[in-house]
Amino acid sequence: MTEMLLYIAGLVLFALGLLVSIAWHELGHLSTAKLFGIRVPQYMVGFGPTIWSRKRGETEYGIKAIPAGGYIRMIGMFPPGEDGKIEARSTSPWRSMIEDAREASYEELEPGDETRLFYTRKPWKRVIVMFAGPFMNLVLAVALFFGSMMTLGVEGQTTGVAAVQKCVIKQSEKREKCAAGDPVSPAFKAGLKDGDKIVAFNGTPVSDWDTLSDRIRDTIGPATVTVERAGQRVDLHPDLVSNEVPKKDEDGKVVQPVDYEPAGYLGFQSRTEVAPLSFGETTDRMGDLLENGVHSVIALPGKIPGLWDATFGDGERADDSPVGVVGAARITGELMTVEAPPTTILVMFMNLLVGFNVSLFLFNMLPLLPLDGGHIAGALWESVRRHTARIFKRPDPGPFDVAKLMPAAYVVAGVFVCFTLLVLAADLVNPVKIT
């Protein structure tokens, strides 16, 4: 019963985090639109039926039933047609898409709005309005990440000894119990004990796990390991052997998928502790997170076949498989039931929200309509056209009609909807799990 309540609490926490992230994104659009005098009739968090709304000034603020996004409605998103009209009037399906979008952007036009239309603002102002939403997600991600890493910290390996392996087992075999014929581990033979803290290796001080791990890997044969034990320093003399261990990349991280290589082996399990990171360490990790996010977006199309196989075939769901809102909610629910220190659970939850906001930032910056990046690209192209015309003393080409790209926008939206439905099915049928 307690585990179920914790799981439900995780779902509620994720839903609240999701709503805050969406509201924060739309607040970026809203605040900059109002700053530049654009009329905004609606600010909504969610889609579908409205469950609550209040009108303050000229803007209606509300929450809708489906927390899968949000929007603000700005008057005059698209310029009038070439004939100066905004009403739909074509029987061509493609042309109708353009005219319907144009007409919808003028639905709530009121007297006096002629000077408050979105498309009449200078391109740099429109870029700011459209960029402000994704940027708010990036700001929130950075704030959450730095707050959690520099105050709560992150769990990491130390030079302390949590357990000593009694025998040498190839780590590629993924077994824990010794079998007949397994040689005695160097650590056990040399007398290393649980609770020891390694402070030096071959006479050189070591204070972090990465340094100690590298020196162990680089050593095969006799070595001197200095440990702190019961307040005293003790020198041990193990004879390190070669063993199959997980391969690391240039940054000292285990490569994915896991591969193995021969390296020096001592034979103990390091103790883990939660410790705050410095500003520099946190900055490096934030940079890695953004870089990995960009790579994930680029690699997304290549993951669709595996996602399809995991959903409708007999394939396994990869740990780095795309996860949707439902999948992330399930992960948060599972996270709350994990047997771990509360600070560790809180850091993992914060990191989940960080990842979600980074994803919102990166996806919305794609130069495709109907995403924010598509509108940014349209405003930048208009600026290029007008500056080019001015340089060559040609007539001003006027506003770039983004509405003409709406047929392509519907295609992009259709692809996103299909992908979202596939991820949703995978999250329901074969979800990513942490337990």
Side-chain angles (χ1 to χ4, degrees), residues 88-144:
R89 56 204 172 275
S90 175
T91 57
S92 166
W94 294 108
R95 188 68 190 173
S96 292
M97 290 182 186
I98 299 172
E99 293 168 354
D100 287 345
R102 197 189 315 279
E103 185 177 9
S105 72
Y106 290 87
E107 276 183 352
E108 300 178 52
L109 188 67
E110 296 179 355
D113 284 346
E114 294 79 8
T115 60
R116 304 186 64 190
L117 305 175
F118 175 79
Y119 86 90
T120 62
R121 295 303 178 261
K122 292 183 178 180
W124 67 267
K125 291 184 177 181
R126 280 179 275 153
V127 168
I128 290 176
V129 172
M130 300 314 298
F131 178 70
F135 180 69
M136 293 291 269
N137 289 121
L138 181 60
V139 169
L140 182 57
V142 171
L144 290 174

Side-chain angles (χ1 to χ4, degrees), residues 294-369:
V294 172
H295 291 161
S296 296
V297 171
I298 295 173
L300 200 57
K303 295 181 180 180
I304 293 177
L307 192 63
W308 180 275
D309 192 34
T311 307
F312 301 105
D314 55 359
E316 293 185 3
R317 184 82 181 271
D319 292 338
D320 61 348
S321 173
V323 175
V325 173
V326 172
R330 293 183 68 159
I331 290 174
T332 307
E334 289 184 16
L335 179 62
M336 296 300 292
T337 65
V338 171
E339 292 185 7
T343 53
T344 300
I345 293 176
L346 181 57
V347 168
M348 293 176 70
F349 172 67
M350 298 277 275
N351 285 343
L352 192 65
L353 288 181
V354 168
F356 178 76
N357 278 276
V358 167
S359 296
L360 281 179
F361 169 73
L362 293 175
F363 270 109
N364 276 286
M365 288 307 297
L366 292 175
L368 301 170
L369 287 173

Side-chain angles (χ1 to χ4, degrees), residues 48-242:
T50 302
I51 58 177
W52 174 87
S53 71
R54 289 289 186 275
K55 190 165 185 178
R56 295 288 184 271
E58 62 185 14
T59 304
E60 178 190 9
Y61 301 85
I63 298 175
K64 291 182 174 286
I66 305 174
Y71 66 92
I72 67 167
R73 187 185 300 278
M74 293 183 286
I75 296 297
M77 285 290 291
F78 308 115
E82 295 177 357
D83 56 3
K85 297 181 180 180
I86 60 174
E87 295 85 3
R89 56 204 172 275
S90 175
T91 57
S92 166
W94 294 108
R95 188 68 190 173
S96 292
M97 290 182 186
I98 299 172
E99 293 168 354
D100 287 345
R102 197 189 315 279
E103 185 177 9
S105 72
Y106 290 87
E107 276 183 352
E108 300 178 52
L109 188 67
E110 296 179 355
D113 284 346
E114 294 79 8
T115 60
R116 304 186 64 190
L117 305 175
F118 175 79
Y119 86 90
T120 62
R121 295 303 178 261
K122 292 183 178 180
W124 67 267
K125 291 184 177 181
R126 280 179 275 153
V127 168
I128 290 176
V129 172
M130 300 314 298
F131 178 70
F135 180 69
M136 293 291 269
N137 289 121
L138 181 60
V139 169
L140 182 57
V142 171
L144 290 174
F145 191 77
F146 273 75
S148 64
M149 292 295 104
M150 295 183 67
T151 56
L152 301 174
V154 63
E155 187 175 55
Q157 293 175 284
T158 69
T159 61
V161 178
V164 177
Q165 306 293 336
K166 293 184 177 181
C167 62
V168 178
I169 302 174
K170 291 182 179 180
Q171 296 187 17
S172 58
E173 295 181 7
K174 298 180 181 179
R175 61 183 173 91
E176 298 180 358
K177 294 183 178 180
C178 296
D182 288 339
V184 178
S185 77
F188 187 76
K189 187 184 295 185
L192 191 67
K193 295 181 179 180
D194 300 355
D196 286 349
K197 181 180 180 181
I198 299 176
V199 294
F201 188 86
N202 280 339
T204 304
V206 290
S207 58
D208 63 272
W209 167 250
D210 288 338
T211 301
L212 175 59
S213 175
D214 289 342
R215 290 181 181 170
I216 291 174
R217 284 169 171 263
D218 293 339
T219 304
I220 297 177
T224 300
V225 176
T226 305
V227 302
E228 281 188 355
R229 180 184 296 168
Q232 296 183 340
R233 292 200 170 194
V234 180
D235 286 339
L236 305 177
H237 303 282
D239 191 3
L240 276 65
V241 298
S242 177

